Amino acid sequence: MKTFILGLVLTCSVFTYAQDTTIYQVPPRFENCKETDNNQLHNCFNQEVYNIIYSEFKLPEATKADYKGEVSIVFEVTKEGEFKTIYVDAQSAALKEETIRVFSAFPKIEPATYNGNPTFKQYSMVLYFPLNEKNKPTNLPTITASTENENVEKSNEIEQLTVLQQKAKQEFDSVQQSMLKYTNKAYSSQVNIPFSHENYFRFDQDINRVGTNSHTASKPYMYEDVSNYYDFSAENDALKKDTQTWAGRKLWNEHLVQLQGKDYWFTIDPIFDLQLGKDTDADFGSTYNNTRGLYVQGGLGRKLSFSASVYENQGRFAQYFNQYAESLKAFGPDPAIIPGRGIAKRFKEDAYDYPVAEAYLSYSPTKFMNIQFGHGKQFIGDGYRSLLQSDVASPYPFLKLNTKFWKIKYTNTWTWLKDVRDEATVDKAFRTKYIANHYLSWNVSKRFNLGLFESVVWENTNDRGFDINYLNPLIFFRAIEFETGQGAGNAILGASAKYKYSDNVNVYGQFILDEFSLSDVTGGDKSWKNKFGFQLGAKWYDAFKVKNLMLQAEYNQVRPYTYSHNTIVLNYAHNNQPMAHLWGANFRELVLIGRYQKDRWFGEAKVITGVRGFDVNDGTDNFFYGGDIFGDERDRPSDTGITIGQGIKTTSVNASAQLGYLVNPASNLKAFINVSYRNFNPEAQTLSVFNNSTAWINFGIRTDLFNWYFDL
C-alpha cells in the first residue's frame, strides 16, 4: 500500500512539473506596431502615444504660448482596446480638459492580452511643456497590468498599491484644483431669501404681475422660486462697483468667502448690526446695538441646501422698547426678552445681552416638494402685518413642507414653542407647546388668488408630546380637536385673498376666526364669542409713474379675546410674544408705507396709527379685556357688549423715515439713518400703561437678514 501511495505522489509531481507555467502578457498594439517584435512592442506603443499627443494637443487660449509646466496623466487601454483617462493633474482646468479631449480622440487598437485573453492595462506619463522632441519621454512606465485572471503575479499587486498611494497623495491637490469660479449658485438654489420687508420690496412687483403663477403669501421664499420672475444675477451685475483690489471686491461686491465646486458651493459672510442713537424720552445717554455674527449658506448637489446665522448681541434701545422688553420677562433671573430675538441677560447696568442662532436644512426630493427643518420664523400674508402667522416672535424650531403643483401651493408647518411665564412653568422649566399650520394657496385665475388657513395649538397633555394626529398634512384640525377633547387644543381658521388689478396695483386681505357661534354672530349683541379679525390692504407699484416707488395702505382689526384661550398655555404665542399681529388683539390699526429705491440707495417712510384696549389691573379692576392674548377668557367683564378698545382705550402713532445705502448686495450689508416718532396716549394711566411721547434717531450699518419691529 505504501508503495502505491509513493508511486501516485511521484506521478502527480511529474505531471505538475510537466505543466506549461509560462504566462504570456502582450502589450496593446497600434496598427503601426502589428509587425513589431514582441520585445519591442512596449517601445512602439510609447512612440505612437506620444506622436498622437504631439499632433493633436492644442494649447488652450487661456494658457500663454510660452507656457512651461507639466501635466501628469494616468490612463488605461481597456480590454476593448479603447483609451480612457483615469486621472489628470494640471495647473489649470483648461489644460485638464484639453488632455482629456486628446485621449478621447485616440483610435481603437488591439487590447493587451493575458494568456491569450483580452485584458486592460494602465499607464502613467508626464507631459512637459513646451511640447517638442526634446521633451519627449523615453518610456511610459506601467502602473498596473491587472487582468481578470485570479493568478495575477504578486509584482502587479504591488504596482497597483502604488497607484492607490499616488492617488491618495494627490487627492488634496485635485480637490483644490477642481474648484470653479463662483457663479452665484445661491440665486437658483433652495436657500431662503432672508425675509425683511425692504429686501422683498426689490422683487415684489415682478412676482405680482398679472399672469404669473406665483404664490406670494407663504414666506420666506426660496431663490429657486423667485428666480423665475426676477433676475438676481443681472441685478447683482448692475450694482457692482468697478474695483480691482481684493479688499474692494469683498467690501462692495462679493461674499467674504465664496467657494464653488462641481457639485457644491458655499459662502460665508460676517454679520453686523452696529447702531448708535438718541431717545429724547430716555433717562440715559444714548441707544446702541452691537451685533457681530456669522452667516453661512450653501448647497450640496442639486437637492440639498443649508443656511445658518449666529449672532452675539448687546444693546440698549429706546426707553419704550426697553420697557416692553422687560414686560415680556421670562421666569428666572433674566430681566427681559428682546422682541423678535430672544431671552436677554443683563449687560452692564441698563443694557441687554441676547445671543441668537437661526439655521435650517432645505431638501427638495422632487421638483414639486421642498422640506425644511430648522430654527427660525415663518410669515403668511401679502401685507406688512399678518393675522395668520407672523415673524414678530423669537425664532423657534420648525418643520416645513411646501408642495407646489398646477395652480396650488400647499404649506404645512409644525413648530415647537415655549410658554415662559412664571405661572406656566413646570418644575421651574419652561412649558412646551406645539402649533401645526396648514395653508393652501390657489391661483383661481391669472388675477385672483385664494388662500385657506387652519392652525391648532396643543401642549403635552397626558404626556402625549407631539401628537401624531397633527402630523397628517391633509386632515382638518377642528375634527381632531373634537376627538382629543375640548381643552386638548385650540384651533384657529383663516383665509386670505389677493386680486391683481394690474401689473402696478394689487389688493389683498385676510380673515381670522378663532371661535364661531352662529347665534352669537347673528344676535347683534356683540358677544365675546365673536373672536375674529380681518385685514384689507393695497399696493401701488411705480406710483405716479415713478419707477421703483411703491405706496402701501393697510387696515387691520382684531376683536377682543382672539388668539387667547381659557387653558393657560393654549394661546397663539411663543416666548411671551404673539405668533400673529404684534399688538395681540382688541385693536384697530392703519398702516401707510412708502418705499423707493434707485441703484444702491433706498428710502422708506411709514406711519402707523391705531386704537387699542389694555387691561387695568389696579387691584380694583382685574378683568381681562381681551387685548393681552395671555389672559384667561373666563375673567372677562361680560358676555355681551364687547367692543374694540374696551378697557383702557389707547391711541398711538408711530411714524418713521429712513434713508439707506446698500453697501454690499452679496451680503446685504446696509448703511442707514432712521428717525422715528412715537406717541402713546391712554385714557388712563397705570404702572404698565402710561402716556409717552418720544423721538428716536439712530444710524449705523446692518446686515439686513430679518425684520426689526419697533412700532409697538
Side-chain angles (χ1 to χ4, degrees), residues 299-461:
L300 301 174
R302 299 182 60 184
K303 297 183 178 181
L304 180 64
S305 301
F306 61 89
S307 175
S309 50
V310 181
Y311 306 78
E312 175 60 31
N313 319 270
Q314 293 82 39
R316 180 174 62 201
F317 308 94
Q319 185 69 33
Y320 76 90
F321 195 83
N322 295 338
Q323 291 170 340
Y324 179 67
E326 296 194 7
S327 74
L328 301 178
K329 178 185 182 303
F331 168 77
D334 297 319
I337 293 178
I338 305 302
R341 306 312 290 149
I343 295 177
K345 63 182 180 181
R346 180 63 67 195
F347 179 71
K348 297 184 177 180
E349 295 182 358
D350 55 0
Y352 310 100
D353 190 318
Y354 57 103
V356 180
E358 299 182 70
Y360 63 87
L361 290 174
S362 178
Y363 178 65
S364 296
T366 71
K367 67 178 182 179
F368 304 106
M369 184 180 297
N370 175 259
I371 304 168
Q372 294 190 5
F373 178 68
H375 191 262
K377 297 191 276 189
Q378 311 298 317
F379 187 98
I380 296 178
D382 288 290
Y384 177 71
R385 308 287 201 192
S386 175
L387 306 185
L388 306 181
Q389 185 176 19
S390 184
D391 63 336
V392 301
S394 306
Y396 43 79
F398 70 89
L399 173 65
K400 183 166 73 171
L401 173 64
N402 272 322
T403 307
K404 185 178 178 182
F405 61 96
W406 187 53
K407 304 174 185 178
I408 296 291
K409 183 177 182 180
Y410 191 42
T411 302
N412 303 91
T413 311
W414 297 271
T415 59
W416 289 254
L417 309 180
K418 295 291 185 182
D419 194 317
V420 299
R421 295 172 294 158
D422 291 8
E423 59 270 31
T425 57
V426 178
D427 296 329
K428 297 184 179 181
F430 299 146
R431 204 153 170 177
T432 300
K433 62 181 176 182
Y434 314 93
I435 294 182
N437 291 339
H438 293 167
Y439 180 70
L440 176 67
S441 174
W442 174 29
N443 287 326
V444 180
S445 71
K446 64 181 181 179
R447 295 180 183 269
F448 181 61
N449 173 270
L450 177 65
L452 300 176
F453 173 82
E454 64 172 343
S455 175
V456 65
V457 186
W458 78 97
E459 67 161 328
N460 189 23
T461 309

Side-chain angles (χ1 to χ4, degrees), residues 72-234:
S72 299
I73 309 163
V74 178
F75 67 93
E76 177 183 303
V77 180
T78 69
K79 64 181 181 179
E80 288 80 22
E82 297 175 343
F83 283 78
K84 180 175 70 173
T85 51
I86 297 175
Y87 174 77
V88 179
D89 184 16
Q91 293 183 3
S92 71
L95 280 171
K96 290 182 182 180
E97 292 173 1
E98 176 60 12
T99 302
I100 294 172
R101 184 197 68 79
V102 169
F103 271 84
S104 67
F106 269 55
K108 187 174 181 179
I109 66 175
E110 290 188 19
T113 58
Y114 182 89
N115 281 347
N117 297 315
T119 186
F120 67 88
K121 201 165 187 180
Q122 293 182 347
Y123 298 88
S124 71
M125 68 181 298
V126 178
L127 285 178
Y128 296 95
F129 290 85
L131 287 176
N132 52 46
E133 293 296 328
K134 182 180 179 181
N135 287 329
K136 183 183 296 187
T138 59
N139 58 63
L140 292 161
T142 302
I143 295 180
T144 67
S146 304
T147 71
E148 295 175 316
N149 193 302
E150 294 181 354
N151 294 321
V152 178
E153 294 175 319
K154 186 176 181 180
S155 61
N156 287 333
E157 295 177 1
I158 296 174
E159 290 173 347
Q160 186 172 9
L161 179 61
T162 304
V163 174
L164 295 177
Q165 290 174 341
Q166 290 179 357
K167 285 186 177 181
K169 289 177 66 66
Q170 295 171 337
E171 183 178 20
F172 181 86
D173 291 334
S174 66
V175 171
Q176 183 68 24
Q177 292 163 3
S178 68
M179 300 304 299
L180 306 174
K181 181 181 179 182
Y182 183 71
T183 57
N184 294 314
K185 295 282 284 186
Y187 296 157
S188 59
S189 71
Q190 292 86 30
V191 168
N192 290 336
I193 306 172
F195 176 48
S196 82
H197 294 294
E198 172 60 36
N199 289 347
Y200 279 38
F201 160 61
R202 290 182 172 267
F203 51 78
D204 200 37
Q205 180 179 12
D206 294 276
I207 62 176
N208 277 290
R209 296 188 187 278
V210 176
T212 62
N213 192 34
S214 61
H215 298 267
T216 59
S218 182
K219 301 178 177 75
Y221 308 139
M222 294 189 300
Y223 279 106
E224 181 182 62
D225 293 334
V226 179
S227 62
N228 294 325
Y229 314 103
Y230 183 78
D231 193 337
F232 290 98
S233 294

Side-chain angles (χ1 to χ4, degrees), residues 9-19:
V9 170
L10 290 174
T11 302
C12 291
S13 299
V14 172
F15 177 78
T16 302
Y17 181 78
Q19 299 302 307

